[in-house]
Amino acid sequence: MADVKKVATRQSYGEALKELGALHNDIVVLDADLANATKTEIFKKAFPDRHFDCGIAESDMMCVAAGLATTGYVPFASSFAMFAAGRAFEQVRNSIGYPHLNVKIGATHGGISVGEDGASHQCCEDFALMRSIPGMVVMSPADDVEAKAMVNAAYEHDGPVYMRFSRYGAPVIHDADSFAFEIGKGEVLWEGTDVALIANGLLVAETLEAADILAQQGISARVINMATIKPLDEELVLKAARECGKIVTCEEHSIIGGLGEAVCAVIAKHGLPCSVERVGVNDEFGHSGSAGELLRQFGLCAGHILETVLHLFRQPIYKIT
Amino acid sequence: MTKEEEITLRKTACKVRIGVLTATHGAKAGHPGGSLSAADVFTYLYFKELNIDPQNPKWEGRDRFVLSKGHTAPGLYAALAYRGFFPVDDLPTLRHIDSYLQGHPNMDTVPGVDMSTGSLGQGVSCACGMALGLKKQGSAARVYTLLGDGELQEGQVWEALMFAAHYRLDNLCVIIDHNGLQIDGPNEKVMGLGSIPDKLQAFGLNVFQIDGHDFQAMEKAFGAARQVKSKPSAIVLETTKGKGVSYMEGQVGWHGKAPNDEEYTRGMAELSAQLAELEAV
């Protein structure tokens, strides 16, 4: 996919905010001294009187956003995933989640692909943290097109939303003119019957690459882009489990508490005979390095997804007779 | 303020204190100490200062109040009930299963509660967001928030105060209930606060320090705060924890403990006597 255009979804976030800001006067954007990195500066340039820097104070920012929401504004509160979901978790839980206020959290620099900054900034726990808050919508887009559509959908949704964007460029896999996004709906990118690969974020493109190689080896892989982690598209997961019998989840997140566990829970609840392997960060901290090197080293790449699928095919198959 | 008006407020404050005792006794839990130290300011706010309509609690033009020290919900609930937001008879259901009177304020269930609070340090930030929103909309509404003194140990409070001063939120009034006691003991033993007014001033607020049980002083301070332009105001109330119930006054043990039947009866007798005395004036 070397020739495919790549866009970091944080850039998409900034651009989408600007477009949306032109249409809706009730949108305000908050940042915590990272407007240059989260790309909310794009909105700030266009609408300086609707952009509020809160200084390096993410906890305060989340509650300010909650207060603004009570007066009818739709605040987009932005920081790195580590600080938005991590540092300010309790503020998000108590001041936004509990009163179910209409705050949108735009968290950039999610996952290990933050790169050189190292483990302190590589948030691989945000899906787990945000999923645990009742009523919170949790999403992560695969590319530029989906990211922009997601920001629009988040604005239209009444209630708290957490969106995770990347610092690292993602190949653009969607066609902007024909793409439609709906919160809570997964997207089948490739039909297949032998195994289902369920991914989100940067790993969607990697999954497509793996599926392509699998096809050459005679394995028909279904590729599902599951941009919404919560509420999860359970129907689509169950259909994949019934029709493929094998699932590999792929996410740039800890294998604890993210998309993988959400998928496992659905399958367990319905007692389906389906093997699941989770590709993700294996309960360890990251470290410094370039994004590309890190993704490969931590197995968040097509090659490792491929190995995982092939491993699954070597396992004895459990069948109900 | 006329003497008559002051007496009326004092009588109402007495009823609010009766409500606090009734609610915490009914709940067999809750926080009477800080509810009683703040009973006078709850009364002043809901019966004099705030521009509100109990018949229309979500009215857009209303003044907002955020109880940042959310554990003193019994005091807030009592003031709201006597002001007509919901029946006084519901106060004893505080903290009971399925009651709308949650242990800490819940804006989704209690009429008149403007923000869900309970986790210290957050309410003041939420109040900043409200003040910013209202200011941007050109609203004349003001935002008031009440903090405990121990709450000032939360770092987020100072993040919020920086925000308030930076954005010149002159429609925000930060009130501190300085009763000097927190769960583990006196503030100065648990984590010294130093001079609260000096700190607030250094953070860019216009500071008033008054007797928190004196309605005349409150009228002057809240009135002056309304005139301050381009900076937020802070009113530090010097108060007595447990005020109005003799055995609770100045006793840290009454921070988060409900009166038993005997203590309730004694407390109610004291407050009823105070009320009768005021009725006789």
Side-chain angles (χ1 to χ4, degrees), chain A residues 207-225:
Chain A
T207 309
L208 284 169
E209 202 175 322
D212 197 22
I213 303 166
L214 284 167
Q216 293 163 29
Q217 301 189 11
I219 295 175
S220 161
R222 179 178 304 182
V223 176
I224 295 173
N225 170 23

Side-chain angles (χ1 to χ4, degrees), chain B residues 9-272:
Chain B
L9 284 171
R10 285 174 65 191
K11 281 193 278 194
T12 307
C14 224
K15 289 180 193 163
V16 168
R17 289 191 164 91
I18 286 170
V20 168
L21 234 56
T22 307
T24 53
H25 176 254
K28 296 188 170 63
H31 298 79
S35 296
L36 293 171
S37 63
D40 293 315
V41 76
F42 284 134
T43 303
Y44 186 80
L45 287 168
Y46 280 95
F47 290 84
K48 172 81 177 161
E49 178 72 11
L50 296 179
N51 185 21
I52 45 172
D53 177 7
Q55 300 310 310
N56 189 6
K58 298 277 182 200
W59 168 45
E60 280 185 13
R62 75 191 185 280
D63 288 341
R64 269 71 165 177
F65 176 71
V66 179
L67 183 60
S68 201
K69 57 169 210 159
H71 55 280
T72 58
L76 172 63
Y77 292 164
L80 287 171
Y82 282 105
R83 187 69 174 82
F85 282 89
F86 53 84
V88 172
D89 288 349
D90 288 351
L91 287 174
T93 71
L94 170 72
R95 288 177 174 244
H96 286 214
I97 189 109
D98 295 336
S99 168
Y100 63 101
L101 298 177
Q102 292 293 292
H104 292 81
N106 181 341
M107 65 188 287
D108 295 326
T109 61
V110 186
V113 170
D114 290 317
M115 184 67 210
S116 299
T117 53
S119 180
L120 297 177
Q122 296 186 25
V124 58
S125 294
C126 298
C128 286
M130 289 179 185
L132 179 66
L134 292 168
K135 210 172 166 59
K136 268 197 74 60
Q137 289 162 349
S139 168
R142 290 177 58 78
V143 181
Y144 298 79
T145 181
L146 177 64
L147 288 78
D149 44 16
E151 184 176 4
L152 300 180
Q153 291 153 2
E154 288 282 5
Q156 186 178 343
V157 170
W158 304 97
E159 295 181 4
L161 297 180
M162 269 187 276
F163 185 96
H166 183 81
Y167 286 104
R168 301 172 186 274
L169 301 179
D170 51 14
N171 56 346
L172 177 72
C173 184
V174 177
I175 310 161
I176 315 288
D177 180 10
H178 187 215
N179 58 39
L181 297 173
Q182 57 189 106
I183 297 178
D184 280 352
N187 300 150
E188 295 315 304
K189 284 202 170 160
V190 177
M191 181 51 64
L193 295 165
S195 166
I196 296 171
D198 285 355
K199 282 193 166 73
L200 294 171
Q201 199 143 20
F203 271 70
L205 283 87
N206 191 71
V207 185
F208 303 88
Q209 187 176 20
I210 58 168
D211 176 347
H213 303 303
D214 179 346
F215 289 115
Q216 300 279 358
M218 280 189 215
E219 186 183 42
K220 284 197 191 89
F222 280 102
R226 260 183 273 125
Q227 302 307 317
V228 174
K229 294 295 166 216
S230 78
K231 63 200 294 200
S233 288
I235 299 178
V236 180
L237 304 171
E238 297 300 333
T239 60
T240 300
K241 197 150 186 162
K243 176 77 175 175
V245 179
S246 63
Y247 60 88
M248 289 188 181
E249 285 192 2
Q251 299 301 312
V252 73
W254 287 102
H255 172 90
K257 188 177 77 167
N260 62 26
D261 291 346
E262 188 265 324
E263 289 158 342
Y264 171 69
T265 309
R266 266 175 63 205
M268 290 295 275
E270 285 185 23
L271 290 168
S272 303

